Amino acid sequence: MAESEAIEGLRGLQQDLIALEESRLRNVERLWVDLEARVEEFRNLLDKPSKNESEIRVQDEDYTINDEFKESTLQLADGLDLDELESARLLLQSEQASDSPQRSGTASAVIRFHERRQSLLESLRLVLKQSIDPEADEEHRDVLRQLVALVLETKDGPARNGSRYAQKCLAGLAMNPEQEEMLQFQQASLGHQHESLGAVLAYLVKASYTAISDFHKVLEHLPKLVKWNSLALHYVPSIIALISQHGSPDGTSTFTEAQAMHQRITDIQDSTMWPLKHLQAATVTWWLAEYSGWFLEAPTGSPMPGIDLQAEAESRSKAFFQALRNGAFQCILSICSQIKPGDWYDPVRNGLTRYLLKDAPALPREVMYASVYFQELVMEQVEAFVDAFVTNMPDTLRRFKAEEDDQRRKILSTLQADASNGMTEQELHLERFLVIISYAFDDRIDAAESFWADTDSNLYGFLQWASKRQSTPRAGAFCELLRAISKGEECAASAHRFLLEEGGGGGSSSRIRRTSSLSWTLIFEELNVYTSAVRDSSVASRPSFSNKPNSDEIDEPESGLMLECYLRLTAHLCRESAGARNWILYHPSIRILDALFLLSSNTVPSRIQACAFNIMRALLTEKTAELGLFVWSSLDQWVSGGLVPTTSASRPTKPPISPAHSEAATFELIAADFEASCEFINLLQSLVAPSLNDSELNDSLPFPEQLGSTYRTPGIEPYIDFALGKIFALSMEQSDDPLRLRILRCSVLDFAITCLATFNEDLVILANRSTVAVDSAMSTSSLAAYIRLHPFGRVMEWMFNEKVLASLFATARQDVNEVSNSSPGSPLLVSLLRCIDVMNLVMDLQTTYLEIARPQIKMHAVGNRKPVLNPALVCFEDSVALHLGLIADLGLYAGTGNHALAVSSLRLLQKLSSSRRLNHQAAPSIAKKNQGNRLIEVLEQQGQVEQIAGSLVHAMQFDLRELSEGSEAPGWIIKSVILEFLYVCLTCSSGRPTLAHALLGFDCGTSSVDVRSNGQFARGASLFHTILTLVVDYPDGKGNDIFPWACSLKQKGMRVLSELWTSPLTAIFTLTELRTSDFLFAMFLKQQSVGPNTEWGGRPSLHPEFPYTDSSMAYGDFLEQRRALFEYTSAEIRLLADEAAPSLKARIVSTLLGATALPDGSYESNLSVFDLFDFAELEFTEKAQIPHLTYFAEINLSIKASGETDAGGWQSDINLIEELIALRFNELRMNGRLQESSEEQRAVAEAQDVLMFFQGQNQIHVLRNKSTLILQSLQMINPKLERFSEESPQDALELAKLVQALLAQLDFQAMVTDSAKAEDTRAGAVHIAHAGLFQAVRTSGLFSVDPDLGIEIDNPEALDKYYNLLLSVTRVVTSVVLSRGPQNEQTLEQARAFLVENRSLVVAMFKRQAKVGAVTFESMGVGVEELVELLVLLITVTGFLSYEEKRDTKAARLGFS
């Protein structure tokens, strides 16, 4: 196996293991075979062979080593710590397989070594993980366990072999200072390998392949770690796993072994202190949590005779508290918070974590890029520690809670006596433990369910215990814990019930003597305290969160943090649980919105404001239209100063301010703070989003039409202006923090996308093209009001504003390396994707805005509405012309590996590259004598054409694994989008080079293209060649089933090639390259026969659902491929006609006849051109039943699609028809016709029938037109074949006649089908006869083909098809003669002339039937009985024998003697 293939195989193996883990692997047997074949590689992965410097053997060939090669080998061996022999092999293989001439052999070897090693380690990690996963399929788990046994050689060898492999992993983890320095240079790969080794070791421990001696070896190495970094962190899962395995009574070690280990771990003196003392302290707590399980219940006969259990317990408790003082929980919390930091800004959680960590050592930033699997592994191990600690050390938990409470009381007593002393430092171990739990269980719903599954469990009991008598900081930490374990509807509902149940005893208003459990009652009582403070505070001051003592109540320093945690928990549960959301929203005494608007006032800290906005947004989850309108009205009242809180009678009244002034002041206050701005814009996004009960028609406004009409123009323009004009346009000025800037922009872009995407521009079309009264049928008062008030208009106006465009393009243009290294959910990637999505929407909607919406808005503008767009910009492309670097960025984003970003970028690139305003003259800044396409020149100037093309080439490579996922596979989607982009770009060229030409590999000039001798195209490595390979080799089905998605992809590729070979710009290069690649022969060899039993996406052509599903689309794509093949064959023949290439001409003729000459001189059978007419025999339901209309009879549903269809002809616009039906439903509801559910069900059924009818009609039109196009393609082939007759074999002439005969089939196909329905009716016969039946037969030459042709062609299938064609036409002729009757002399004369003209063939058929001659049709598997019977019947009905006698009585021979 070549090295490159081996690496690709390892990548595929890794993908299969991931698919197995996610239960989506369809071909499990392939995985077993692949794993079994790699047992030896896994086994030897960590071995180091002895040195050998004489000669090497690679792929069965011996190579001697020269000095230069030896030097490179030694350098590589030193760099990778390999023996020289292995280094030499690696170097030689890399030089042979190098795909980059710029890269040295040594560099290639290093890369390939790390790629192979990393893939093997990742595969081994996945195997080990799934072999011990209790949730995995039992059969799969058993197979993987057997594989592990083979790798570790424990199946037939001693059990200690497992321990030996674990020691290899440990040796791989251990690094001396020099190796640690090398790691900095190879961090990207070696860091992942080190991480994988840590995970592999942890899984080996969990699978019981290690011994207690391995634990001792780990403890020997840990004191050697001197830096708190990712290398040290990679030991953590193994440490906790080893403790669980060898320190717990449920593990594999004896109590005696565990006791000895206990002495070693807890005996901490100066001589045994680790450099990383906080890690040592954490290790002690992990150990004590598991080891204490031995003493939890000491039964009779315990293995602990003579041990003083009380003294032992006291000793362990003392050791635990000492570990806490040494920073154990700070270390664990630091690990949890920094290995899983979250890409998004989370001020509440971050603030709480910083408060609890204080001066704890921080991990370096590199740890934040730990792999997701490693994060999960660490959290799994921390979860095990949490469970062990809660279960095995409840007394210790109770003790440090009591000590902390006592310490807190003393501090607060001192504070009450003398506030000037300030707050004394307090230990917060329990709070840290609660937050550790929150990190360990966050986003792990299955793990979190362990808290709720059993109310008698230790974990649920811990929740109840921890929720009681909470101090202020502990209440905040507990809220964070509760939030983490309440993800998902079920867990959130459990948390909601917990808060309801725990509130049964009521709460106290004092925040010091909090004796009840945390509950909804307590939370809202606390909330009421703060809202009351806000209500009673003066405008000039804020409610106090400072250290002001009072006889009954003290504001503690953590009060603000606790309130934030309360609000954060409330928002979370409202978002996750419908029960919690509705309970809070509609509780009669809570009045949540009033409280939240009070907390949003200008006298409240901005972070509390942000939390209040967050809860409002959470309450809008799955909102109803009524709730959305109510919140909009309340929000607008609050913004304009209308929601004035009730004040005390003693307070002096203040002069009122105008609503407009209040609105401006509120927006200024919100804009001044990052967190408040983000949450407020997120709230706006939720408010403009469609409601749960909105129809898909999007014909309503998300706010009251008269919103704000009392003091300004109705609508939400001020909110849009705030989001886009004040926040987004000025975002670069307001924040220099890249993270905050991205998050802020992402919020605004989400809001903009919702505003644009919810506008239904089809309503305007329907108003002009349908009979429905759109104004009265839509939910908004009128179409004019909808256009004028919908946020789409103002957002689009801002999209032509210079400052907004500057921020938009700044967001769109990011460093591609940073993008590639970002996680899919990071603010960088999400904001970038949202930005490109906005641009896509603007490109789609700008015509509607500029031509329809903008004039309407200007016409009805009132008041002081300020225009914000730049009138110099005619269209969005004008702004792109000023930022042409975006084109290169979009191309580069397609190769970053992020599927959604690649698809969105290519779609935008497609729209921009097909724009006439961007496609022509070059940018003025590029000084060239002859200016060509500006997009190409920008890419060439930046040297990025080949880089972008290379990424597209990589994306177009297909893996057989993606075939199992079909159209859902990311690889299929990206290929489809690339091909669509290329085709659209090529078709807009108008004979000039486009961006697509450059990316395909052509060297583009001003008005022509060329192929460079040393370019990618000339080397066969271009995007063009990748598409060529895909068209030929991509499988389009399995067995007798043709997959619609596969057929579609191949057709898209064929369409790109067809556009290239038919364009004068590229035809000569394309046809030459296709001939060089033997494209014609490869395509004919790949063609497969189709027939009535062929399935198209699981449905044969006669299936009743065939016309209404993607099955008919698959058939249409199949026909398009056939047509393209015929057109290419015609083009190739036309090109060869004037060339002196007799051998090539003969080879083509041979292929068309059914046998392709291979390069080695042999022949391979293929479908002949005759066989390729198999599609003509397929039948399908051509005309759907027109449904009987009751509810939709009054409207005209025939709406023609705009633009050109793929195959021409009439096409109904299904999307518009769907929306027309939705409008009609609105009308019916308004008229009261759908009041009963049965009426609505019947209307829905009728609507479905209507849609199916038009979908079926569309597909039938497409298939008919495509069949006609194939006929035209074949008509182009025949004249060219006749020109071959001078140079080519006699077969060319016979083939030309055969093709000529076949051309008639499509004409006859419709006639045969129609005659089958009208055979027995005189009118039908007249229609067929008048259609020129006999003339068509004569013109086709079908009956004039050499009668002995069948003897010369060794192709029974082709001969059978030809016979069936003869039979079908003869049946039609006979039916017409019989139907018109013997009295119609004109028809009889035509039939007799038909028999005279085709006497030779008739006689030949009689001879075949009588078996006269050496070879008969029957001997080739073809019967002629029915054809002969029809000919005899025709002869009899026409009186042909009598006619012959009368016509030529002087002749010596009779016609049929």
Side-chain angles (χ1 to χ4, degrees):
M1 180 185 295
E3 183 69 15
S4 59
E5 294 177 0
I7 293 175
E8 286 299 322
L10 282 171
R11 289 175 184 154
L13 172 63
Q14 190 175 338
Q15 292 172 10
D16 278 357
L17 284 166
I18 293 172
L20 180 69
E21 184 180 22
E22 297 173 355
S23 301
R24 57 179 177 81
L25 181 64
R26 300 184 183 181
N27 192 345
V28 180
E29 291 301 321
R30 178 184 65 209
L31 174 61
W32 300 152
V33 173
D34 204 354
L35 283 170
E36 187 176 4
R38 297 187 183 277
V39 167
E40 197 65 27
E41 290 183 76
F42 288 128
R43 188 178 292 163
N44 300 330
L45 174 61
L46 304 176
D47 291 345
K48 293 184 179 180
S50 57
K51 295 187 176 183
N52 183 328
E53 301 184 14
S54 58
E55 64 176 22
I56 60 172
R57 186 172 184 81
V58 178
Q59 296 179 0
D60 299 327
E61 293 187 25
D62 293 325
Y63 294 84
T64 56
I65 300 176
N66 58 36
D67 292 339
E68 181 181 356
F69 188 83
K70 181 181 292 187
E71 183 178 353
S72 298
T73 299
L74 292 173
Q75 290 177 355
L76 184 64
D78 292 339
L80 297 178
D81 194 21
L82 298 174
D83 78 293
E84 288 79 358
L85 179 60
E86 185 61 29
S87 299
R89 280 202 189 95
L90 181 61
L91 186 61
L92 186 59
Q93 290 172 341
S94 300
E95 289 179 346
Q96 292 173 344
S98 177
D99 55 359
S100 176
Q102 293 81 17
R103 186 183 295 151
S104 69
T106 303
S108 296
V110 171
I111 291 171
R112 289 180 177 276
F113 171 79
H114 288 308
E115 283 181 339
R116 175 182 177 275
R117 184 178 167 91
Q118 183 173 335
S119 295
L120 278 170
L121 279 169
E122 283 296 289
S123 298
L124 181 57
R125 176 185 66 81
L126 289 166
V127 167
L128 283 164
K129 179 183 179 182
Q130 295 178 65
S131 71
I132 62 173
D133 185 359
E135 302 297 326
D137 180 273
E138 185 175 356
E139 181 181 351
H140 295 169
R141 190 170 63 241
D142 290 343
V143 173
L144 291 173
R145 283 175 176 169
Q146 294 176 25
L147 178 79
V148 171
L150 287 174
V151 172
L152 303 183
E153 298 182 280
T154 57
K155 184 176 182 180
D156 299 320
R160 64 175 178 274
N161 285 345
S163 175
R164 289 177 178 173
Y165 202 90
Q167 290 178 23
K168 291 181 185 178
C169 291
L170 179 59
L173 280 172
M175 289 189 178
N176 57 41
E178 184 177 332
Q179 290 173 316
E180 200 169 325
E181 182 180 359
M182 289 172 55
L183 182 62
Q184 297 176 4
F185 297 97
Q186 303 179 19
Q187 187 174 5
S189 180
L190 287 180
H192 283 298
Q193 291 181 39
H194 198 264
E195 187 180 62
S196 296
L197 276 171
V200 168
L201 178 58
Y203 289 130
L204 285 170
V205 174
K206 294 174 74 172
S208 302
Y209 287 111
T210 57
I212 191 72
S213 58
D214 300 316
F215 196 1
H216 283 287
K217 289 184 180 295
V218 170
L219 291 175
E220 288 172 5
H221 182 72
L222 290 176
K224 300 176 184 177
L225 299 176
V226 295
K227 290 184 180 179
W228 185 225
N229 54 18
S230 59
L231 299 182
L233 183 65
H234 294 162
Y235 284 89
V236 168
S238 302
I239 294 171
I240 303 178
L242 283 165
I243 288 172
S244 298
Q245 190 70 22
H246 301 292
S248 166
D250 298 326
T252 57
S253 295
T254 65
F255 174 70
T256 303
E257 291 173 324
Q259 191 177 31
M261 185 64 72
H262 174 71
Q263 293 297 326
R264 178 171 185 176
I265 291 175
T266 58
D267 183 19
I268 300 178
Q269 301 174 7
D270 292 341
S271 60
T272 58
M273 186 72 73
W274 300 355
L276 303 179
K277 65 177 184 179
H278 58 291
L279 178 60
Q280 185 178 20
T283 302
V284 171
T285 60
W286 294 331
W287 170 262
L288 290 172
E290 291 287 0
Y291 180 70
S292 296
W294 289 98
F295 306 93
L296 191 61
E297 294 180 4
T300 305
S302 168
M304 298 175 275
I307 293 179
D308 185 341
L309 297 180
Q310 184 65 31
E312 172 66 28
E314 184 63 30
S315 172
R316 283 183 283 109
S317 182
K318 181 179 178 181
F320 196 94
F321 275 90
Q322 182 59 47
L324 292 182
R325 286 190 290 272
N326 289 340
F329 278 1
Q330 286 98 323
C331 177
I332 301 173
L333 181 55
S334 176
I335 292 171
C336 292
S337 62
Q338 295 181 65
I339 198 175
K340 194 177 181 181
D343 293 314
W344 294 81
Y345 187 72
D346 191 341
V348 177
R349 187 182 213 182
N350 293 346
L352 178 61
T353 303
R354 282 196 303 270
Y355 172 72
L356 295 174
L357 281 177
K358 296 184 174 159
D359 299 326
L363 286 162
R365 188 169 180 80
E366 66 183 77
V367 177
M368 297 184 184
Y369 301 106
S371 301
V372 173
Y373 77 82
F374 194 78
Q375 295 176 23
E376 293 176 352
L377 179 59
V378 171
M379 296 309 163
E380 286 174 6
Q381 299 308 109
V382 175
E383 175 195 347
F385 158 68
V386 168
D387 187 42
F389 184 40
V390 169
T391 303
N392 300 335
M393 303 190 74
D395 292 338
T396 303
L397 266 172
R398 284 189 286 268
R399 177 179 168 185
F400 68 66
K401 179 183 179 184
E403 290 184 0
E404 288 182 18
D405 287 347
D406 184 59
Q407 184 185 30
R408 181 92 181 165
R409 279 191 293 271
K410 292 178 180 178
I411 291 173
L412 293 180
S413 297
T414 304
L415 181 63
Q416 187 174 4
D418 184 4
S420 62
N421 286 337
M423 193 76 173
T424 308
E425 192 75 20
Q426 178 194 0
E427 290 297 342
L428 299 167
H429 300 311
L430 183 54
E431 287 78 1
R432 292 188 186 103
F433 182 61
L434 294 176
V435 179
I436 287 169
I437 298 175
S438 76
Y439 277 104
F441 287 85
D442 200 9
D443 294 322
R444 300 178 59 233
I445 296 178
D446 291 342
E449 287 176 350
S450 60
F451 278 89
W452 310 111
D454 183 5
T455 56
D456 294 326
S457 67
N458 291 324
L459 290 177
Y460 190 83
F462 170 77
L463 278 184
Q464 292 180 308
W465 172 80
S467 70
K468 299 182 187 300
R469 302 194 320 275
Q470 293 181 332
S471 64
T472 299
R474 192 178 305 144
F478 187 80
C479 285
E480 188 60 25
L481 162 60
L482 204 58
R483 185 204 60 81
I485 61 174
S486 58
K487 296 287 181 72
E489 179 68 37
E490 291 185 10
C491 290
S494 298
H496 173 56
R497 287 192 297 270
F498 178 85
L499 291 174
L500 287 175
E501 293 165 0
E502 294 300 310
S508 170
S509 62
S510 172
R511 281 166 287 165
I512 304 170
R513 295 183 294 273
R514 190 177 290 105
T515 57
S516 64
S517 300
L518 181 71
S519 62
W520 282 130
T521 302
L522 181 62
I523 288 174
F524 286 111
E525 285 184 349
E526 294 278 4
L527 195 59
N528 186 55
V529 171
Y530 286 100
T531 55
S532 298
V534 173
R535 187 181 296 109
D536 296 334
S537 65
S538 64
V539 175
S541 64
R542 295 191 169 196
S544 173
F545 297 106
S546 60
N547 309 344
K548 293 184 178 180
N550 188 285
S551 58
D552 297 318
E553 182 176 305
I554 295 177
D555 261 327
E556 304 170 49
E558 305 91 347
S559 296
L561 183 60
M562 180 192 70
L563 179 59
E564 292 170 13
C565 292
Y566 281 167
L567 296 174
R568 173 178 163 88
L569 173 63
T570 303
H572 170 77
L573 290 178
C574 287
R575 191 170 286 114
E576 295 286 327
S577 169
R581 182 168 61 250
N582 292 328
W583 183 83
I584 292 173
L585 197 56
Y586 301 111
H587 196 284
S589 63
I590 292 179
R591 298 180 64 84
I592 185 65
L593 286 178
D594 290 347
L596 294 175
F597 281 121
L598 278 168
L599 290 177
S600 305
S601 65
N602 59 0
T603 60
V604 174
S606 57
R607 185 169 292 177
I608 302 294
Q609 281 184 317
C611 291
F613 293 143
N614 186 26
I615 295 181
M616 291 186 211
R617 182 164 62 103
L619 291 171
L620 292 170
T621 304
E622 297 181 346
K623 67 174 180 178
T624 62
E626 295 75 19
L627 177 61
L629 297 177
F630 176 74
V631 175
W632 260 121
S633 298
S634 301
L635 178 67
D636 197 63
Q637 278 188 287
W638 172 75
V639 167
S640 60
L643 284 181
V644 180
T646 303
T647 59
S648 62
S650 61
R651 179 180 306 166
T653 59
K654 296 186 177 181
I657 59 175
S658 68
H661 179 77
S662 177
E663 178 185 88
T666 301
F667 286 150
E668 284 293 337
L669 179 71
I670 296 173
D673 182 75
F674 160 74
E675 294 165 24
S677 297
C678 279
E679 289 300 341
F680 185 72
I681 294 171
N682 291 338
L683 171 61
L684 295 181
Q685 189 275 333
S686 297
L687 282 168
V688 297
S691 301
L692 192 64
N693 53 344
D694 281 349
S695 70
E696 295 182 1
L697 188 59
N698 281 336
D699 63 331
S700 62
L701 296 173
F703 52 86
E705 285 191 39
Q706 298 304 315
L707 185 72
S709 61
T710 57
Y711 69 98
R712 58 171 171 80
T713 304
I716 62 169
E717 280 196 3
Y719 299 92
I720 298 170
D721 293 349
F722 168 78
L724 288 164
K726 185 171 286 294
I727 300 300
F728 191 75
L730 305 177
S731 56
M732 287 186 289
E733 303 172 11
Q734 293 176 342
S735 177
D736 56 359
D737 183 340
L739 176 61
R740 289 191 172 197
L741 186 61
R742 287 164 182 164
I743 293 174
L744 194 61
R745 286 175 171 172
C746 190
S747 296
V748 179
L749 291 170
D750 267 331
F751 171 69
I753 287 172
T754 306
C755 292
L756 295 176
T758 53
F759 180 76
N760 188 350
E761 60 180 337
D762 291 340
L763 292 173
V764 180
I765 301 173
L766 291 173
N768 295 322
R769 296 175 59 184
S770 73
T771 57
V772 170
V774 175
D775 277 352
S776 60
M778 64 187 303
S779 300
T780 310
S781 60
S782 68
L783 182 59
Y786 178 80
I787 295 173
R788 187 176 68 256
L789 294 174
H790 197 284
F792 151 80
R794 190 63 168 179
V795 171
M796 282 296 293
E797 188 173 346
W798 276 108
M799 289 300 134
F800 291 85
N801 176 274
E802 290 180 347
K803 290 185 177 180
V804 167
L805 286 170
S807 289
L808 192 68
F809 284 104
T811 308
R813 304 207 57 194
Q814 301 293 333
D815 179 77
V816 69
N817 293 322
E818 190 177 357
V819 172
S820 298
N821 294 328
S822 298
S823 60
S826 66
L828 170 60
L829 266 177
V830 175
S831 61
L832 176 58
L833 182 57
R834 296 291 184 273
C835 180
I836 295 173
D837 288 343
V838 166
M839 291 182 174
N840 270 310
L841 284 168
V842 171
M843 288 291 293
D844 292 338
L845 296 170
Q846 66 174 339
T847 302
T848 299
Y849 168 70
L850 294 171
E851 297 180 3
I852 299 174
R854 186 184 173 198
Q856 282 272 343
I857 294 170
K858 289 177 66 177
M859 184 186 306
H860 296 91
V862 294
N864 58 350
R865 184 181 188 275
K866 181 182 177 181
V868 296
L869 84 173
N870 180 358
L873 297 175
V874 177
C875 61
F876 186 72
E877 293 95 309
D878 288 352
S879 63
V880 177
L882 302 175
H883 302 84
L884 285 176
L886 174 68
I887 303 299
D889 293 331
L890 293 173
L892 294 172
Y893 295 155
T896 57
N898 184 283
H899 170 67
L901 179 63
V903 170
S904 191
S905 299
L906 285 169
R907 284 177 176 158
L908 180 57
L909 190 60
Q910 172 184 320
K911 293 165 188 172
L912 296 177
S913 61
S914 59
S915 167
R916 292 186 177 276
R917 296 185 71 88
L918 292 175
N919 239 323
H920 295 306
Q921 77 188 70
S925 60
I926 303 175
K928 282 195 173 184
K929 184 176 181 180
N930 295 319
Q931 295 181 344
N933 185 296
R934 65 168 73 179
L935 304 185
I936 299 175
E937 294 190 0
V938 166
L939 294 188
E940 288 178 343
Q941 186 186 46
Q942 299 178 7
Q944 292 174 325
V945 173
E946 289 194 2
Q947 184 180 358
I948 296 171
S951 67
L952 298 183
V953 167
H954 180 74
M956 289 298 296
Q957 304 288 343
F958 67 91
D959 187 339
L960 291 177
R961 289 174 172 83
E962 83 180 30
L963 300 180
S964 60
E965 299 180 42
S967 60
E968 297 177 359
W972 183 92
I973 296 172
I974 192 66
K975 290 177 182 64
S976 182
V977 173
I978 291 173
L979 293 172
E980 189 70 28
F981 151 64
L982 292 171
Y983 176 72
V984 171
C985 191
L986 289 172
T987 54
C988 73
S989 67
S990 302
R992 297 171 64 90
T994 66
L995 183 60
H997 290 104
L999 295 176
L1000 283 164
F1002 295 101
D1003 191 23
C1004 299
T1006 304
S1007 57
S1008 62
V1009 300
D1010 200 354
V1011 173
R1012 281 181 292 150
S1013 58
N1014 61 341
Q1016 299 286 343
F1017 195 98
R1019 300 205 308 268
S1022 67
L1023 180 58
F1024 170 89
H1025 292 87
T1026 307
I1027 296 173
L1028 176 61
T1029 301
L1030 181 139
V1031 169
V1032 174
D1033 294 335
Y1034 199 86
D1036 52 11
K1038 184 176 182 180
N1040 203 38
D1041 192 1
I1042 294 179
F1043 302 148
W1045 53 269
C1047 206
S1048 169
L1049 192 65
K1050 292 194 71 168
Q1051 164 52 20
K1052 288 180 178 180
M1054 193 69 155
R1055 191 171 59 169
V1056 171
L1057 296 181
S1058 177
E1059 187 66 28
L1060 291 171
W1061 80 57
T1062 56
S1063 169
L1065 188 69
T1066 53
I1068 187 63
F1069 301 108
T1070 305
L1071 289 172
T1072 301
E1073 193 63 27
L1074 291 177
R1075 182 188 296 178
T1076 302
S1077 304
D1078 280 349
F1079 179 66
L1080 184 146
F1081 309 111
M1083 287 300 294
F1084 267 86
L1085 287 170
K1086 291 287 184 177
Q1087 296 303 302
Q1088 57 178 322
S1089 178
V1090 297
N1093 295 325
T1094 301
E1095 293 186 350
W1096 309 85
R1099 301 176 189 89
S1101 60
L1102 285 175
H1103 193 282
E1105 296 180 2
F1106 180 83
Y1108 313 110
T1109 61
D1110 58 359
S1111 297
S1112 58
M1113 297 179 185
Y1115 180 49
D1117 288 332
F1118 169 80
L1119 291 178
E1120 281 291 308
Q1121 290 182 62
R1122 281 281 170 91
R1123 180 177 69 86
L1125 178 58
F1126 291 147
E1127 285 183 351
Y1128 169 67
T1129 303
S1130 174
E1132 184 66 275
I1133 292 173
R1134 184 170 61 249
L1135 195 66
L1136 275 173
D1138 298 324
E1139 296 183 13
S1143 59
L1144 181 57
K1145 293 177 182 178
R1147 189 182 179 197
I1148 290 177
V1149 170
S1150 177
T1151 295
L1152 296 179
L1153 286 170
T1156 295
L1158 302 180
D1160 60 2
S1162 61
Y1163 281 82
E1164 183 175 344
S1165 298
N1166 59 265
L1167 295 182
S1168 68
V1169 71
F1170 185 79
D1171 300 322
L1172 296 185
F1173 269 84
D1174 47 10
F1175 66 88
E1177 296 182 8
L1178 295 182
E1179 298 178 2
F1180 50 86
T1181 305
E1182 290 199 7
K1183 193 168 186 179
Q1185 183 72 28
I1186 299 177
H1188 174 71
L1189 300 181
T1190 300
Y1191 302 96
F1192 303 98
E1194 300 173 12
I1195 59 175
N1196 180 13
L1197 291 167
S1198 298
I1199 301 179
K1200 184 177 181 180
S1202 59
E1204 294 291 331
T1205 60
D1206 285 345
W1210 173 278
Q1211 287 279 279
S1212 297
D1213 193 320
I1214 301 299
N1215 291 331
L1216 280 181
I1217 292 174
E1218 286 180 340
E1219 298 196 343
L1220 190 59
I1221 288 173
L1223 275 175
R1224 178 58 176 167
F1225 266 107
N1226 282 359
E1227 260 188 345
L1228 294 172
R1229 291 189 183 97
M1230 292 176 184
N1231 296 335
R1233 292 186 59 182
L1234 301 181
Q1235 293 182 354
E1236 296 183 7
S1237 59
S1238 58
E1239 283 286 335
E1240 181 147 0
Q1241 290 173 1
R1242 284 193 290 271
V1244 169
E1246 185 175 305
Q1248 291 173 345
D1249 291 341
V1250 168
L1251 286 174
M1252 286 187 64
F1253 170 77
F1254 282 108
Q1255 288 170 350
Q1257 288 298 100
N1258 274 1
Q1259 286 306 109
I1260 289 168
H1261 284 305
V1262 168
L1263 298 181
R1264 283 177 174 171
N1265 288 326
K1266 288 182 177 179
S1267 297
T1268 301
L1269 291 174
I1270 293 181
L1271 173 62
Q1272 295 170 356
S1273 300
L1274 283 169
Q1275 287 172 337
M1276 297 170 62
I1277 295 179
N1278 193 39
K1280 311 304 181 298
L1281 280 174
E1282 290 175 349
R1283 296 182 62 184
F1284 272 22
S1285 59
E1286 298 179 0
E1287 304 177 25
S1288 301
Q1290 183 64 26
D1291 288 344
L1293 287 175
E1294 291 300 328
L1295 185 60
K1297 293 180 182 179
L1298 179 60
V1299 172
Q1300 186 178 10
L1302 291 174
L1303 287 172
Q1305 184 169 8
L1306 283 174
D1307 287 336
F1308 283 129
Q1309 189 68 28
M1311 192 178 299
V1312 169
T1313 303
D1314 291 338
S1315 66
K1317 302 175 183 177
E1319 286 178 351
D1320 300 328
T1321 65
R1322 185 177 299 275
V1326 171
H1327 174 74
I1328 295 172
H1330 286 174
L1333 170 65
F1334 292 101
Q1335 180 60 36
V1337 173
R1338 183 179 299 109
T1339 302
S1340 73
L1342 178 66
F1343 285 77
S1344 62
V1345 175
D1346 185 355
D1348 293 327
L1349 182 63
I1351 299 176
E1352 298 175 2
I1353 299 179
D1354 187 16
N1355 192 333
E1357 292 185 7
L1359 197 59
D1360 183 59
K1361 292 180 186 296
Y1362 176 61
Y1363 162 75
N1364 286 329
L1365 182 58
L1366 289 175
L1367 180 62
S1368 298
V1369 176
T1370 305
R1371 188 181 294 122
V1372 172
V1373 171
T1374 307
S1375 297
V1376 168
V1377 173
L1378 290 173
S1379 298
R1380 300 210 67 185
Q1383 70 278 7
N1384 193 310
E1385 188 60 33
Q1386 182 181 1
T1387 301
L1388 295 177
E1389 283 295 331
Q1390 289 176 325
R1392 292 183 191 118
F1394 167 79
L1395 290 171
V1396 171
E1397 291 170 359
N1398 300 302
R1399 182 194 306 269
S1400 298
L1401 186 137
V1402 173
V1403 172
M1405 293 300 111
F1406 285 171
K1407 288 182 178 179
R1408 298 289 183 267
Q1409 198 272 342
K1411 300 181 180 179
V1412 176
V1415 181
T1416 65
F1417 279 11
E1418 285 80 355
S1419 66
M1420 302 186 70
V1422 179
V1424 295
E1425 286 80 2
E1426 186 178 356
L1427 177 60
V1428 170
E1429 290 174 1
L1430 286 171
L1431 291 173
V1432 170
L1433 178 59
L1434 187 60
I1435 290 170
T1436 303
V1437 171
T1438 59
F1440 181 73
L1441 293 179
S1442 299
Y1443 167 77
E1444 283 283 275
E1445 290 177 354
K1446 293 178 182 178
R1447 188 179 66 86
D1448 196 6
T1449 54
K1450 296 180 181 180
R1453 76 177 168 81
L1454 293 175
F1456 294 98
S1457 59

